[in-house]
């Protein structure tokens, strides 16, 4: 039972990641692409979580945390780039 | 229009310390579990990079006054000395030793010579990642 449910969920999450990828490629504005990239990261976290349920292990929990941190910092850097044009500013008054 | 970074500063002050403690956990989980010097160093570099992105370079230079090329040299020296240590006992280069000790509070812990080797790798990775990013970022204007 659990095997069937997790397999169906994995297929649906891969379709979701593919749809987000289409939005990244053809998104009309820059903000659409950034939100789609962030959603791909969150989908990856759920994907690995379901993989941990299937394999009955906790070995991938560090992977989930690392992906979450990298996606967070990437989103902040993109947001600052859209807002002001520079990511690392030298001297802010 | 002057932008206001109040939310970003407030989140950064909390999240950067969470990432730093997670990087220390990854560093000490190494060589028996997933973890080690390389990924711990990358996590520390990302925590410091979050500080650099949130505040400006000049302010963080004053808070963290490290000279990154010197840190690269120190890390490489630690790594080489740990490798040369095994030559004194007649074993090949980079042989690792481990021993189990009983510590009063922590119980039985494992002490290895792979830990100072990992410390050297950690310092090299942190310093190289931040040095490359800051050099690229300072290139404009």
């Amino acid at each position: 039972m659990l095997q069937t449910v997790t397999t169906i969920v994995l297929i649906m999450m891969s379709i979701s990641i593919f749809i987000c990828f289409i939005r990244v490629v053809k998104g009309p504005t820059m903000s659409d692409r950034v939100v789609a990239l962030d959603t791909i990261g969150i989908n990856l976290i759920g994907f690995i979580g379901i993989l941990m349920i299937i394999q009955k292990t906790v070995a991938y929990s560090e992977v989930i945390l690392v992906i979450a941190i990298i996606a967070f910092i990437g989103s902040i850097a993109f947001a600052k780039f859209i807002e002001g044009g520079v990511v690392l500013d030298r001297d802010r008054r | 229009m002057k932008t206001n970074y109040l939310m970003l500063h407030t989140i950064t002050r909390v999240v950067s310390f969470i990432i730093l403690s997670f990087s220390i956990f990854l560093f000490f989980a190494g060589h028996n579990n997933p973890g080690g010097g390389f990924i711990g160093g990358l996590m520390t570099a990302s925590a410091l990079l979050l500080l650099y992105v949130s505040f400006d370079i000049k302010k963080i230079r004053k808070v963290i006054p490290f000279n990154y090329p010197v840190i690269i040299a120190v890390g490489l020296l630690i790594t080489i000395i740990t490798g040369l240590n095994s030559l004194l006992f007649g074993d090949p280069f980079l042989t690792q030793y481990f021993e189990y000790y009983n510590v009063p509070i922590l119980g039985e812990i494992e002490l290895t010579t792979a830990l100072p080797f990992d410390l050297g790798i950690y310092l090299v990775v942190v310093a190289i990642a931040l040095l490359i990013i800051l050099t690229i970022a300072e290139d404009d204007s």
Side-chain angles (χ1 to χ4, degrees):
Chain A
M1 179 64 192
L2 190 64
Q3 190 70 41
T4 318
V5 171
T6 47
T7 312
I8 293 171
V9 170
L10 277 188
I11 293 171
M12 286 172 66
M13 292 197 82
S14 9
I15 294 172
S16 162
I17 291 177
F18 182 68
I19 291 173
C20 286
F21 175 71
I22 292 175
R23 181 53 69 196
V24 170
V25 170
K26 60 174 278 196
T29 65
M30 194 75 181
S31 309
D32 289 330
R33 293 194 174 97
V34 173
V35 172
L37 276 176
D38 200 31
T39 314
I40 285 180
I42 293 170
N43 272 322
L44 273 179
I45 294 171
F47 201 90
I48 299 171
I50 292 169
L51 223 58
M52 278 165 62
I53 293 177
I54 289 178
Q55 298 185 357
K56 292 189 177 61
T57 174
V58 289
Y60 304 146
S61 47
E62 287 102 352
V63 180
I64 289 180
L65 274 169
V66 168
I67 289 178
I69 290 169
I70 298 292
F72 173 69
I73 292 176
S75 296
I76 283 183
F78 271 125
K80 258 195 92 175
F81 178 71
I82 290 176
E83 185 88 12
V86 288
V87 177
L88 291 165
D89 33 16
R90 178 142 345 134
D91 190 10
R92 189 180 301 146
R93 279 156 296 277
Chain B
M1 191 187 84
K2 188 164 178 6
T3 50
N4 189 359
Y5 291 112
L6 178 65
M7 271 177 72
L8 185 57
H9 288 175
T10 312
I11 288 178
T12 302
R13 285 189 184 119
V14 178
V15 168
S16 61
F17 283 101
I18 295 175
I19 301 176
L20 277 177
S21 53
F22 176 57
S23 79
I24 292 173
F25 163 72
L26 273 182
F27 173 68
F28 283 110
H31 67 262
N32 282 332
N33 285 316
F38 189 82
I39 184 68
L42 280 184
M43 279 297 108
T44 307
S46 63
L48 295 181
L49 184 67
L50 183 62
L51 285 178
Y52 277 112
V53 168
S54 177
F55 301 95
D56 50 327
I57 292 179
K58 204 173 171 186
K59 214 177 280 177
I60 299 297
R61 278 254 167 84
K62 207 189 289 176
V63 175
I64 313 173
F66 291 153
N67 192 8
Y68 292 122
V70 174
I71 294 182
I72 295 175
V74 168
L76 283 178
L77 262 183
I78 291 174
T79 309
I80 292 174
I81 288 174
T82 313
L84 287 177
N85 182 29
S86 61
L87 291 181
L88 296 176
F89 302 105
D91 288 326
F93 184 56
L94 286 177
T95 309
Q96 72 147 344
Y97 306 102
F98 58 94
E99 196 75 47
Y100 291 94
Y101 289 104
N102 273 315
V103 178
I105 298 171
L106 297 173
E108 191 183 57
I109 60 170
E110 181 189 13
L111 292 182
T112 66
T113 60
L115 192 66
F117 187 79
D118 255 359
L119 181 67
I121 292 173
Y122 176 87
L123 292 177
V124 170
V125 168
V126 171
I128 281 187
L130 285 176
L131 188 62
I132 288 174
I133 290 170
L134 290 183
T135 309
I136 291 175
E138 277 187 342
D139 197 43
D140 57 347
S141 76

